[in-house]
Amino acid sequence: MLTSRELLQFLYHRRTIRAIDRQFALFIGQQLGDLDIAMVGWAALVSYELGKGNVCIDLSSLDVARLFDLPASDSARVVELLKPQNAIDMFLRVSVVGNGDTASPLVLDGTRLYLHRYWCAERCVANEIKKRAVLIKVACDPKSILDDLFAPDIADLKIHYADWESDVNLSHVDRQQKLVDYLDITSPEQVDFGALVALLKINVNMSEYLALIPDSMRLNWQKVAAAVALCYRFSVISGGPGTGKTTTVAKLLAALIFSSDKPTDLEIKLVAPTGKAANRLAKSISQALVNLPVSQSLREKIPIQASTIHSLLGVIMNRVKFRHYEGNRLHLDILVVDEASMVDLPLMARLLSALPDHARVILLGDRDQLASVEAGAVLGDICINAKNIYSATCAEQLSALTGFSLACFNANQPVTDSVCLLKKSYRFHTKSGVGQLAFAINAGDSRRLQQIFAQGYDDIAFHEMDSDVYTAAVHQAVEGYREYLNALSMGETMSAVLHKFSAVRLLCALSEGQFGVAGFNREIENALVKERLIILGKEKSYLGRPVMVTQNDHGLGLYNGDIGIVVKQEDSLRVVFEMPNGRLKTFLPSRLPEHKTAYAITIHKSQGSEFSHIILVLPPMPTPVMTRELVYTGVTRAIEMLDIYATCSSLEIAVRRKTHRFSGLAEALSTPLNLC
């Protein structure tokens, strides 16, 4: 029979497990004085699954036919060694597995086996959320400001309705439905649409207009989301692209400032996991403030600068620990975290534990996007049971703040009560192919894909992958990048060059191979040389080269995923980056941390960014990384145009394959608070 030592050697030599997985397993064997016992194999499996993003292994749902993702025949030999049916009894007997009360390398919690650090992080996140997910009394009644902030814009509505009336393709019923959608009407049968249209023809204010459709006939989820965040010190606003998450949070911050009873100004911080996401958050908030119906003095109290989570916590060079932690907490009243789906479990634990007890934390993100590259799916676990149906007590308070009637049931669900899902897209309308495609992907409806491609939407195109089409994808990318390279050669500003480079991006599912980032970067670079748009020299850096940082450098303020362009400055090459504060900063290429060419990037690396035109390439043969969440994330990076290069079969298989990460966070959030 296979021993654990032989298993490690077999898995390591075929590159199934990483060096760190092997070393951890050997460490466990050394602690027990036996490298051949089954516990060593279990240790390797826990570490291996962690590398895939799973916080733990769950014996109650372990796929014994695919242990270590091996073929069934090899997995059967591993099962014979590990004996999963007897594993819990063994875990309870060995010294390297504990229950969390004392220090031990591994922790058994029910049927889940964790590395101790990740068990602690999961407990911390669950407890910090549950401490804050308690219904609180709002300092003063903010209903009036919520009404003002979220009132429909009648001037904008008049412009839209004029367009609808002039559209000969729209019937009377179609125009009526557009009014229903615009005004968030839930009871159209009770509305006099003739009177609504008549009022649009004369000068009336919104209060007169809304008198025809009182709150009891409407339901604006953005307004509900703001009310949720007023009622809890922990809240989540989740929604897809274009659902108005940052617009909502700008209005929410105005309402929090207006209703605050603090004698001094509220200390508000905006953060995101990456520099580019922080920069985008800052720009979105700035744009939202322009039309905010509040006084200038209140508007000035809302911050327009954002930073990375690491910067907020305070990086200490060459140390794992941050400057701010549970023993030295942050000084703030409100924390907004954008792109929360990208935040891994350990980082979320460090962030939440560094907050003062009174602070509100508001998570923004899309629960349907890819989870973090590292272990955990925190946002997904928090939102897993959220359906915009609230407990009776919560619904009563939300209704009092919004005037809306909300679905409710008599159950205590504090964490779910603090979540609001935004479903109305202001970007992807019914004529948007990108929007229709994203909806079908999210629903796992693979049969709908070809119907959407065949309907002739102007903003999407599907290209069945073969060798000629591969060349076409490269050519399309070259044409897209031509504009920024021409801008660079014409001496346009660095801001203009960066902006034009961000207009288009080629996204891949894979890193390596012909259909991965490495292959496409090489082909695009060669094609750009043939077009005389770039000139390669002996040095790796050249004028116009886009580079992506792949390793954090806290000293330089550059982080994994940041993208810059090589420019000529003072007779030498420099790399210019747009920093989270919106300013441009240049570096010598030799000073950069590890980096690579970035004409093509992975879908993972594109999170937190949006581009006018996306060229999405999926390999012709399906691979395990190709999942529904991956395709959805890639598709929704496109603002105006999407070209997909793939085979029908590989795309459909990916859409049917939903990612599931093992953790105990969702279950822990549904149990009473348990402070360690």
Side-chain angles (χ1 to χ4, degrees):
M1 187 179 76
L2 187 72
T3 67
S4 284
R5 194 184 331 222
E6 292 168 341
L7 173 65
L8 292 183
Q9 187 172 358
F10 166 72
L11 294 173
Y12 187 65
H13 283 303
R14 64 174 288 166
R15 297 185 179 179
T16 299
I17 61 173
R18 304 165 298 170
I20 193 171
D21 305 329
R22 178 172 177 267
Q23 287 303 120
F24 177 69
L26 292 172
F27 165 76
I28 292 298
Q30 291 164 358
Q31 295 299 302
L32 296 173
D34 187 349
L35 295 178
D36 290 323
I37 61 173
M39 192 65 231
V40 172
W42 282 109
L45 184 60
V46 172
S47 183
Y48 170 77
E49 291 294 334
L50 185 67
K52 290 168 55 183
N54 294 310
V55 174
C56 60
I57 55 173
D58 190 344
L59 292 166
S60 67
S61 53
L62 197 64
D63 185 0
V64 295
R66 296 282 297 169
L67 293 180
F68 293 100
D69 295 313
L70 294 170
S73 57
D74 289 330
S75 184
R77 296 179 65 202
V78 180
V79 169
E80 187 181 7
L81 165 67
L82 300 185
K83 296 182 172 58
Q85 68 276 15
N86 302 323
I88 289 181
D89 289 339
M90 179 186 65
F91 297 156
L92 293 172
R93 293 196 307 268
V94 295
S95 60
V96 293
V97 180
N99 62 4
D101 291 341
T102 57
S104 59
L106 296 158
V107 172
L108 179 66
D109 189 343
T111 59
R112 298 184 181 96
L113 185 65
Y114 297 79
L115 289 177
H116 189 275
R117 175 192 170 203
Y118 285 86
W119 180 84
C120 288
E122 190 173 274
R123 296 302 97 181
C124 173
V125 169
N127 287 338
E128 289 292 335
I129 289 174
K130 287 188 287 188
K131 279 195 302 184
R132 289 181 167 82
V134 177
L135 199 61
I136 58 176
K137 184 176 176 62
V138 183
C140 67
D141 184 9
K143 185 179 186 307
S144 60
I145 192 171
L146 285 180
D147 289 344
D148 291 340
L149 287 167
F150 290 95
D153 185 339
I154 192 167
D156 184 60
L157 176 56
K158 285 183 175 184
I159 294 170
H160 277 80
Y161 195 80
D163 291 339
W164 302 335
E165 271 198 318
S166 63
D167 190 341
V168 295
N169 295 316
L170 289 179
S171 66
H172 171 73
V173 174
D174 291 335
R175 287 194 291 273
Q176 183 172 300
Q177 185 58 49
K178 286 186 174 293
L179 274 174
V180 168
D181 294 339
Y182 189 98
L183 295 167
D184 303 304
I185 297 171
T186 57
S187 305
E189 69 283 355
Q190 299 178 31
V191 176
D192 184 346
F193 285 97
L196 283 180
V197 173
L199 281 182
L200 284 175
K201 308 293 185 181
I202 61 176
N203 290 325
V204 293
N205 59 41
M206 184 52 75
S207 60
E208 292 176 280
Y209 197 75
L210 292 181
L212 295 174
I213 41 170
D215 286 338
S216 59
M217 298 182 189
R218 302 177 56 243
L219 182 50
N220 181 321
W221 285 111
Q222 290 188 352
K223 188 177 182 182
V224 175
V228 166
L230 283 165
C231 294
Y232 292 91
R233 288 194 176 89
F234 172 83
S235 59
V236 176
I237 302 174
S238 176
T243 52
K245 295 185 292 294
T246 48
T247 300
T248 302
V249 85
K251 294 179 179 180
L252 161 62
L253 292 175
L256 285 168
I257 294 167
F258 176 84
S259 60
S260 173
D261 59 355
K262 186 181 177 183
T264 57
D265 289 346
L266 293 173
E267 186 71 23
I268 303 169
K269 297 293 184 183
L270 310 176
V271 297
T274 65
K276 60 184 177 181
N279 187 28
R280 185 163 155 258
L281 172 62
K283 288 181 178 177
S284 297
I285 293 290
S286 296
Q287 291 168 359
L289 291 182
V290 173
N291 297 316
L292 209 60
V294 296
S295 66
Q296 182 62 26
S297 60
L298 193 154
R299 189 181 288 113
E300 290 173 351
K301 295 177 182 179
I302 299 174
I304 56 172
Q305 298 296 326
S307 69
T308 63
I309 296 173
H310 288 80
S311 297
L312 177 73
L313 291 174
V315 172
I316 303 174
M317 295 299 294
N318 301 318
R319 293 187 63 184
V320 175
K321 193 174 184 179
F322 289 108
R323 187 170 292 107
H324 293 286
Y325 60 104
E326 61 271 18
N328 180 32
R329 304 204 177 196
L330 292 158
H331 300 288
L332 55 82
D333 300 300
I334 301 171
L335 177 67
V336 177
V337 184
D338 197 16
E339 297 293 348
S341 64
M342 298 171 64
V343 184
D344 60 65
L345 180 68
L347 183 59
M348 186 65 80
R350 291 184 176 197
L351 179 62
L352 294 179
S353 63
L355 294 176
D357 290 337
H358 75 277
R360 294 175 187 265
V361 57
I362 303 158
L363 303 186
L364 307 179
D366 185 348
R367 67 172 181 174
D368 298 312
Q369 272 192 196
L370 282 165
S372 60
V373 175
E374 304 299 329
V378 178
L379 186 67
D381 285 340
I382 295 169
C383 297
I384 196 168
N385 295 316
K387 297 176 182 177
N388 283 357
I389 301 176
Y390 299 96
S391 65
T393 304
C394 176
E396 181 181 359
Q397 186 156 329
L398 294 178
S399 294
L401 289 175
T402 63
F404 302 143
S405 298
L406 298 169
C408 66
F409 59 91
N410 292 313
N412 182 26
Q413 48 174 26
V415 174
T416 304
D417 276 348
S418 65
V419 178
C420 187
L421 309 177
L422 303 181
K423 298 179 180 179
K424 177 180 175 180
S425 177
Y426 296 86
R427 180 195 303 167
F428 299 138
H429 45 77
T430 54
K431 292 185 178 180
S432 165
V434 174
Q436 295 299 312
L437 191 62
F439 181 81
I441 292 168
N442 224 351
D445 189 354
S446 59
R447 293 174 297 180
R448 175 89 176 109
L449 301 181
Q450 294 309 313
Q451 296 174 11
I452 293 171
F453 292 135
Q455 285 178 8
Y457 289 106
D458 293 336
D459 59 339
I460 59 171
F462 178 77
H463 312 269
E464 182 78 24
M465 179 66 79
D466 57 30
S467 58
D468 290 337
V469 171
Y470 181 93
T471 304
V474 173
H475 175 73
Q476 192 171 47
V478 168
E479 290 306 304
Y481 294 137
R482 183 185 298 274
E483 189 170 353
Y484 95 88
L485 289 167
N486 284 339
L488 187 61
S489 66
M490 294 291 290
E492 293 190 29
T493 65
M494 289 188 286
S495 293
V497 171
L498 287 168
H499 176 73
K500 289 179 179 179
F501 176 68
S502 295
V504 64
R505 193 71 81 250
L506 190 147
L507 303 182
C508 300
L510 307 175
S511 295
E512 302 299 328
Q514 180 187 10
F515 294 95
V517 167
F520 270 104
N521 274 322
R522 182 171 57 252
E523 292 298 324
I524 292 170
E525 203 169 52
N526 291 338
L528 289 171
V529 170
K530 290 180 182 178
E531 292 288 322
R532 298 183 179 179
L533 291 169
I534 61 172
I535 300 173
L536 301 183
K538 294 181 180 179
E539 299 296 326
K540 197 167 185 179
S541 288
Y542 55 83
L543 186 64
R545 182 193 180 204
V547 298
M548 171 180 281
V549 172
T550 58
Q551 185 179 49
N552 293 342
D553 189 318
H554 304 296
L556 295 179
L558 294 175
Y559 298 93
N560 190 350
D562 288 349
I563 292 180
I565 303 288
V566 177
V567 299
K568 194 167 187 179
Q569 195 176 77
E570 298 174 359
D571 295 326
S572 64
L573 295 180
R574 298 283 194 278
V575 188
V576 58
F577 291 85
E578 187 174 13
M579 307 306 282
N581 60 8
R583 295 179 180 175
L584 302 182
K585 193 172 181 180
T586 58
F587 303 87
L588 285 168
S590 59
R591 288 196 64 205
L592 294 183
E594 288 185 19
H595 57 279
K596 60 177 66 172
T597 304
Y599 295 111
I601 62 175
T602 62
I603 297 171
H604 273 93
K605 294 292 188 184
S606 74
Q607 280 186 277
S609 298
E610 292 175 340
F611 307 93
S612 296
H613 181 194
I614 286 292
I615 303 167
L616 179 62
V617 182
L618 303 176
M621 297 299 292
T623 68
V625 302
M626 288 170 57
T627 63
R628 182 183 308 172
E629 292 81 4
L630 186 86
V631 178
Y632 170 78
T633 302
V635 164
T636 54
R637 298 310 89 203
I639 299 174
E640 297 175 3
M641 184 66 198
L642 170 69
D643 282 275
I644 299 180
Y645 292 82
T647 61
C648 291
S649 60
S650 66
L651 179 60
E652 290 174 2
I653 290 170
V655 168
R656 290 196 294 268
R657 182 187 291 136
K658 186 169 176 59
T659 303
H660 177 68
R661 285 192 170 182
F662 289 106
S663 83
L665 181 59
E667 182 180 305
L669 289 171
S670 65
T671 60
L673 183 63
N674 177 28
L675 294 175
C676 302

